[in-house]
């Protein structure tokens, strides 16, 4: 029996140790929806087993109680429970306790206490009118209907929320209403004139912590009045040839002006400083005006007007052409936030507290429009990203303004969003060498950059070879590639990169040279230098031995006029030659004809000398005399010699002459005998053996005067 009890106790302890109780309900919250229900919620942890809940309530100041049951099988662990009328009493104090139960046990929450007036929630009011009041400027009157499901005796508190139509920033006004009239009214003042406003309203009992939902939005417009004012600015351009300065005057509604404000026109007048007599007036409906001013300082005034009046006067001072402006901005930077572009700057002049910010797109042509905004009591400027175009570069300038003087601006560039370039660079190849080449390219047009160019990358690859790359800074537009291969084809392209990525440009091909200009120049220099050295050595040799160089370049040519052929052997032969030489040009014609003379009986025999032996001896003598005869200045002298007969190249016929010419000086008894012997001797020798074997000396042939033999008619007949 004892063992049975011990075993039962052991099993009970094991069961208790293995039991998993539900989590304790916490974060209990209750809301009293006026005349609808009383609902409580809590946040239990996710239960591992089946769990159901009970909400115990005491009400009527503790005299009554009831239970609201729920389980997670139907509500999926979303714990809440509602008590419905008629058990809901107001005013009253409730106590709430939540009990969680599963198969292993029960877990109860702490008891909470609730005052129904403090947790009451009513319906939102209904706005039915938002209008301006005639004669009251900058005010809107809001009318709404009090919620039906609201305690009549309770004072309601309200929150009115409003904004302009084009703004996302809401403003709120809190107030209370003690009367219980169904139609409620509230006057909202200090608004902008002629501006549309959006209104919405919520309410709650004065003691409650829970607000109603927001009512439907309603739009109202304030009354129109005279223009609020103008912001005035200018763009100064360089002076023209005639000295006039183009000045573009621009204006817009001042900051804080009504959104719906409309002006019927603008009055402009300007004049030189200290000379109002030269005032010029212009009326326009545009918001810009082009003026041509002189080099002096000018004052410009602009007002806008409508049917209700004129705006305050906007004043601007145009500095003189040679006026020096002050500079106080030391540094400036632009940074991007999630949805804004923020520009900040540093100033060295603490007395300057007004700045004019100017921005416009940086395009290749002259910008058509400028934007500007005045900043006061700050050294930063903010603009929403959606007001600027993405992928566009903007020039942002900040001008310091001290009273009526404008200082020197400080400018930077900024993008609100960057992208890859729309087009890549177009490269060109210059100075192609054996192992080097120069690559040049132009900047990408501003409209196609889509961001700040960080660097350029040059990709080049030999035919069927490995690709190489070189990266250079964005300010470099030319690069020289080295260590290339001789006589090789390459392909090349340049990539431009921004923070968003890069874009490749046009691909081009080129081929390196097989020999460079320097090498050609070096070879040419060597060859030319060799020729120059040779010429110098030749000249030096000629100066040292002039005769040898002269004979080498200009060999001696025998002078036929001084030939020694006339000096034949035998003094008696020379004595018998009765030839007459004369330098008289008048007798030259007579010298060319053989003179009649008395020939001795052995004349023919002397002609039969051995010419071979004779010419050998004569040539030996002429070699000795050639150096002496070449320096003589006698020219065109002809030596007549009967010892060598010239053979004409065309015909060997002897022309007819009278026999008296030959025998005039020979006795008649010997004349006939002499002719026969002469003819027979000449005939026996033949024309080829008169002088030498072979052809005659060309110098002698061209210089010796042809002799005509005068023969009798009988001798001719015999021939």
């Amino acid at each position: 029996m004892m063992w049975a009890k011990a075993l039962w106790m052991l099993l009970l302890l094991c069961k208790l140790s293995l039991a998993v109780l539900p989590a304790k309900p916490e974060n209990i919250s209750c809301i009293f929806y006026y005349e609808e229900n009383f609902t409580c919620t809590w946040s239990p942890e996710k239960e591992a087993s089946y769990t159901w809940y009970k909400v115990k309530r005491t009400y009527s100041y503790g005299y009554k109680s009831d239970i609201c049951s729920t389980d997670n099988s139907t509500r999926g662990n979303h714990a809440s429970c509602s008590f419905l009328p008629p058990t809901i009493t107001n005013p009253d104090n409730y106590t709430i306790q939540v009990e969680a139960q599963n198969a292993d046990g029960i877990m109860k929450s702490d008891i909470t206490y609730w005052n129904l007036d403090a947790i009451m929630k009513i319906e939102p009011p209904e706005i039915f009118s938002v209008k301006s009041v005639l004669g009251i400027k900058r005010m809107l009157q809001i009318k709404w209907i009090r919620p039906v499901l609201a305690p009549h005796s309770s004072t309601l508190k309200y929150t009115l929320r409003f904004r302009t139509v084009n703004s996302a920033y809401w403003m709120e006004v809190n107030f209370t209403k003690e009367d219980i009239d169904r139609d409620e009214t509230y006057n909202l003042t200090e608004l902008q004139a002629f501006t549309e406003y959006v209104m919405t309203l919520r309410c709650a009992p004065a003691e409650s912590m829970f607000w109603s939902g927001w009512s439907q939005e309603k739009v109202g417009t304030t009354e129109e009045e005279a223009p609020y004012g103008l912001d005035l600015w200018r763009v100064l351009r360089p002076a023209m040839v005639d000295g006039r300065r183009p000045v573009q005057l621009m204006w817009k509604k001042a900051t804080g002006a009504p959104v719906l404000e409309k002006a019927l026109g603008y009055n402009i007048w300007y004049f030189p400083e200290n000379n109002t007599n030269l005032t010029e007036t212009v009326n326009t409906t545009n918001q810009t005006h082009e003026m041509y001013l002189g080099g002096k300082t000018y004052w410009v005034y602009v007002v806008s007007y409508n049917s209700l009046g004129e705006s305050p006067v906007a004043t601007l001072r145009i500095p003189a052409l040679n006026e020096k402006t002050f500079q106080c901005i030391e540094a400036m930077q632009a940074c991007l936030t999630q949805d804004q572009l923020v520009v900040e700057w540093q100033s060295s002049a603490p007395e300057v507290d007004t700045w004019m910010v100017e921005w416009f797109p940086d395009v290749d042509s002259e910008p058509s429009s400028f934007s500007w905004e005045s900043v006061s009591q700050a050294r930063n400027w903010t603009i929403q990203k959606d007001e600027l175009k993405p992928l566009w570069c903007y020039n942002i300038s900040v001008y310091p303004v001290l009273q009526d003087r404008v200082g020197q601006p400080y400018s930077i560039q900024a993008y609100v969003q960057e992208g890859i370039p729309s087009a890549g660079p177009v490269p060109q190849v210059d100075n192609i060498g054996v192992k080097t080449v120069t690559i040049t390219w132009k900047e990408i047009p501003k409209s196609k950059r889509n961001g700040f160019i960080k660097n350029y990358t040059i990709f080049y690859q030999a035919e069927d070879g490995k690709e190489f790359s070189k990266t250079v800074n964005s300010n470099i537009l030319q690069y020289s590639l080295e260590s290339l291969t001789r006589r090789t084809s390459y392909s090349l392209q340049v990539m431009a990169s921004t923070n968003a990525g890069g874009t490749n440009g046009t691909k081009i091909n080129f081929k390196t040279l097989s020999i460079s200009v320097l090498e050609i120049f070096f070879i040419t220099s060597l060859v030319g230098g060799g020729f120059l050295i040779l010429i110098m050595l030749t000249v030096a040799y000629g100066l040292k031995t002039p005769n040898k160089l002269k004979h080498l370049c200009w060999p001696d040519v025998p002078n036929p006029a001084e030939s020694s052929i006339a000096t034949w052997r035998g003094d008696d032969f020379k004595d018998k030659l009765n030839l007459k030489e004369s330098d008289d040009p008048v007798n030259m014609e007579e010298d060319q004809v053989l003179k009649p003379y008395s020939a001795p009986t052995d004349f023919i025999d002397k002609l039969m000398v051995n010419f071979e032996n004779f010419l050998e001896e004569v040539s030996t003598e002429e070699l000795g005399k050639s150096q002496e005869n070449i320096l003589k200045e006698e020219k065109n002298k002809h030596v007549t010699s009967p010892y060598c007969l010239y053979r004409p190249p065309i015909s060997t016929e002897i022309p007819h002459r009278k026999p008296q010419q030959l025998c005039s000086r020979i006795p008649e008894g010997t004349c006939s005998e002499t002719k026969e012997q002469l003819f027979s001797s000449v005939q026996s020798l033949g024309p080829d053996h008169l002088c030498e074997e072979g052809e005659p000396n060309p110098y002698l042939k061209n210089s010796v005067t042809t002799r005509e033999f005068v023969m009798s008619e009988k001798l001719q007949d015999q021939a």
Side-chain angles (χ1 to χ4, degrees):
M1 191 66 181
M2 293 294 294
W3 286 103
K5 291 183 178 180
L7 182 62
W8 181 82
M9 291 295 294
L10 180 63
L11 292 175
L12 181 61
L13 292 175
C14 291
K15 183 177 180 181
L16 292 175
S17 62
L18 295 176
V20 178
L21 297 176
K24 181 180 179 179
E26 295 179 351
N27 299 326
I28 300 174
S29 176
C30 298
I31 299 177
F32 172 42
Y33 295 97
Y34 185 73
E35 294 187 356
E36 289 186 359
N37 59 63
F38 177 85
T39 302
C40 294
T41 60
W42 56 93
S43 57
E45 297 180 358
K46 185 177 181 181
E47 300 293 346
S49 59
Y50 177 78
T51 304
W52 63 94
Y53 297 92
K54 292 181 181 179
V55 179
K56 294 183 178 181
R57 179 187 66 157
T58 62
Y59 62 99
S60 296
Y61 299 100
Y63 292 102
K64 296 182 180 180
S65 64
D66 57 1
I67 297 175
C68 176
S69 301
T70 182
D71 60 80
N72 64 351
S73 62
T74 57
R75 296 182 177 268
N77 279 343
H78 180 71
S80 66
C81 190
S82 298
F83 296 91
L84 302 176
T87 60
I88 300 175
T89 59
N90 186 42
D92 201 349
N93 292 326
Y94 291 175
T95 61
I96 299 295
Q97 185 180 32
V98 180
E99 182 180 287
Q101 182 179 359
N102 61 9
D104 296 326
I106 298 174
M107 185 64 67
K108 296 182 180 180
S109 69
D110 298 332
I111 298 175
T112 58
Y113 301 90
W114 305 94
N115 186 336
L116 295 188
D117 289 337
I119 59 174
M120 184 186 303
K121 186 173 183 179
I122 60 178
E123 292 182 346
E126 180 183 355
I127 299 176
F128 66 88
S129 174
V130 177
K131 294 181 179 180
S132 60
V133 178
L134 184 61
I136 302 177
K137 306 296 183 182
R138 304 186 181 189
M139 189 191 77
L140 287 175
Q141 189 177 72
I142 300 97
K143 294 183 178 181
W144 68 94
I145 299 176
R146 183 184 175 93
V148 176
L149 297 179
H152 295 282
S153 59
S154 298
T155 301
L156 300 183
K157 55 184 179 182
Y158 293 89
T159 298
L160 178 64
R161 189 170 67 172
F162 62 96
R163 62 177 176 86
T164 59
V165 172
N166 297 325
S167 175
Y169 176 72
W170 288 94
M171 294 172 285
E172 294 183 353
V173 175
N174 295 316
F175 58 93
T176 58
K177 288 288 186 178
E178 296 181 357
D179 51 2
I180 58 174
D181 295 337
R182 183 167 177 79
D183 295 340
E184 302 285 349
T185 303
Y186 183 80
N187 294 328
L188 185 61
T189 58
E190 297 181 359
L191 302 178
Q192 296 180 3
F194 203 42
T195 303
E196 287 184 320
Y197 285 91
V198 179
M199 306 286 180
T200 184
L201 189 65
R202 70 178 181 178
C203 63
E207 301 86 1
S208 177
M209 66 178 69
F210 294 109
W211 288 90
S212 68
W214 291 101
S215 66
Q216 291 186 350
E217 295 180 352
K218 201 76 172 178
V219 179
T221 305
T222 56
E223 281 194 349
E224 185 180 7
E225 59 183 24
Y228 179 79
L230 296 174
D231 284 339
L232 194 58
W233 189 236
R234 82 289 184 277
V235 176
L236 304 179
R237 306 189 187 278
M240 298 189 299
V241 179
D242 57 359
R244 297 186 303 164
R245 287 184 299 164
V247 177
Q248 184 179 0
L249 192 65
M250 303 174 293
W251 58 88
K252 63 181 179 180
K253 290 187 293 185
T255 303
V259 177
L260 300 179
E261 179 183 278
K262 295 180 180 180
L264 299 178
Y266 305 92
N267 289 325
I268 308 168
W269 64 94
Y270 55 94
F271 53 85
E273 192 173 32
N274 301 325
N275 193 353
T276 57
N277 296 328
L278 300 178
T279 302
E280 297 187 27
T281 304
V282 178
N283 181 269
T284 181
T285 57
N286 300 322
Q287 290 187 329
T288 180
H289 180 66
E290 191 81 12
M291 302 184 301
Y292 294 90
L293 307 178
K296 300 180 180 180
T297 302
Y298 278 78
W299 286 92
V300 181
Y301 301 91
V302 181
V303 296
S304 62
Y305 61 89
N306 60 11
S307 59
L308 300 176
E310 292 183 347
S311 69
V313 178
T315 306
L316 184 65
R317 180 181 179 272
I318 307 297
L321 186 61
N322 56 355
E323 180 177 326
K324 294 183 179 180
T325 57
F326 67 94
Q327 182 178 5
C328 65
I329 300 179
E330 298 177 343
M332 187 165 66
Q333 64 177 0
C335 58
L336 294 173
T337 61
Q338 185 175 1
D339 56 352
Q340 292 178 336
L341 173 65
V342 181
V343 179
E344 299 176 344
W345 59 89
Q346 298 177 0
S347 174
S348 60
E351 66 274 9
V352 178
D353 59 356
T354 303
W355 317 86
M356 188 66 73
V357 181
E358 178 186 88
W359 70 96
F360 57 89
D362 183 20
V363 294
D364 296 312
S365 59
E366 182 72 18
S368 58
S369 61
F370 293 82
S371 301
W372 77 98
E373 184 176 344
S374 179
V375 177
S376 299
Q377 305 297 328
R379 293 183 181 178
N380 59 75
W381 171 74
T382 303
I383 186 173
Q384 297 294 324
K385 284 185 178 180
D386 54 7
E387 297 184 28
L388 303 176
K389 294 183 179 180
L391 308 181
W392 278 40
C393 179
Y394 284 88
N395 290 325
I396 303 175
S397 301
V398 177
Y399 294 79
V401 179
L402 182 61
Q403 297 179 355
D404 56 4
R405 296 182 180 272
V406 179
Q408 188 173 351
Y410 196 104
S411 301
I412 60 172
Q413 290 184 326
Y415 283 87
V416 295
Q417 180 182 346
E418 292 191 52
I420 63 174
S422 302
V426 179
Q428 293 181 350
V429 178
D430 297 324
N431 302 327
I432 300 178
V434 175
K435 294 185 178 181
T436 61
V437 68
T438 301
I439 310 300
T440 60
W441 60 91
K442 295 182 179 179
E443 287 186 325
I444 302 174
K446 295 179 181 179
S447 59
K448 296 182 179 180
R449 294 178 188 174
N450 300 337
F452 293 114
I453 302 298
K454 294 176 56 181
N455 54 57
Y456 294 99
T457 304
I458 304 170
F459 298 96
Y460 61 100
Q461 180 180 10
E463 189 175 5
D464 299 331
K466 182 180 178 181
E467 185 180 60
F468 297 91
S469 64
K470 298 289 184 180
T471 302
V472 297
N473 295 330
S474 59
N475 58 345
I476 297 177
L477 300 177
Q478 177 177 321
Y479 189 79
S480 296
L481 297 178
E482 299 177 351
S483 301
L484 302 179
T485 306
R486 185 189 299 263
R487 200 178 180 181
T488 304
S489 297
Y490 285 87
S491 61
L492 180 143
Q493 61 183 357
V494 180
M495 180 180 71
S497 301
T498 63
N499 289 326
T503 300
N504 289 326
T506 306
K507 179 180 288 187
I508 61 174
N509 299 315
F510 67 92
K511 187 176 182 180
T512 54
L513 301 179
S514 59
I515 184 171
S516 65
V517 178
L518 183 61
E519 293 173 347
I520 295 174
F521 177 75
F522 181 71
I523 295 173
T524 306
S525 300
L526 289 179
V527 175
F531 277 112
L532 181 61
I533 293 173
L534 181 61
I535 292 172
M536 293 174 64
L537 292 176
T538 304
V539 172
Y541 178 76
L543 294 176
K544 186 176 181 181
T545 57
N547 293 332
K548 292 184 179 181
L549 181 62
K550 182 177 181 182
H551 293 324
L552 181 62
C553 298
W554 301 282
D556 294 336
V557 179
N559 189 353
E562 299 176 357
S563 177
S564 61
I565 195 171
T567 60
W568 290 52
R569 289 183 302 175
D571 296 335
D572 54 343
F573 176 74
K574 297 176 70 174
D575 294 337
K576 293 176 183 180
L577 288 177
N578 192 12
L579 298 177
K580 184 180 180 181
E581 295 180 3
S582 176
D583 294 336
D584 189 359
V586 180
N587 297 328
M588 290 299 292
E589 185 176 355
E590 297 179 359
D591 293 340
Q592 296 178 1
V593 181
L594 288 175
K595 305 296 182 179
Y597 64 96
S598 297
T601 58
D602 58 351
F603 176 74
I604 299 302
D605 295 334
K606 292 182 179 294
L607 292 175
M608 302 300 296
V609 298
N610 190 344
F611 287 103
E612 181 176 1
N613 297 330
F614 170 75
L615 292 176
E616 291 177 357
E617 297 176 3
V618 171
S619 62
T620 304
E621 296 176 1
E622 288 179 347
L623 289 174
K625 296 179 181 180
S626 60
Q627 295 296 332
E628 298 175 359
N629 295 337
I630 197 170
L631 301 175
K632 294 183 181 181
E633 297 179 356
E634 296 180 6
K635 297 180 181 179
N636 300 326
K637 289 185 180 181
H638 305 278
V639 178
T640 58
S641 176
Y643 301 101
C644 184
L645 298 178
Y646 170 68
R647 181 178 61 181
I650 299 177
S651 176
T652 59
E653 294 182 358
I654 301 174
H656 297 281
R657 292 292 183 270
K658 291 182 181 182
Q660 291 78 5
Q661 294 178 354
L662 182 60
C663 301
S664 60
R665 299 179 61 181
I666 303 175
E668 294 179 1
T670 62
C671 181
S672 61
E673 182 180 358
T674 302
K675 289 187 289 184
E676 292 176 359
Q677 293 177 2
L678 178 62
F679 182 77
S680 62
S681 299
V682 173
Q683 186 175 10
S684 65
L685 291 172
D688 297 333
H689 297 80
L690 292 178
C691 293
E692 286 183 353
E693 293 181 6
E695 292 297 324
N697 193 319
Y699 298 103
L700 298 177
K701 180 181 72 173
N702 295 333
S703 61
V704 178
T705 305
T706 304
R707 301 304 182 196
E708 298 179 356
F709 293 91
V710 181
M711 304 176 61
S712 63
E713 294 179 2
K714 184 183 292 186
L715 183 61
Q716 183 177 6
D717 294 338
Q718 293 178 0

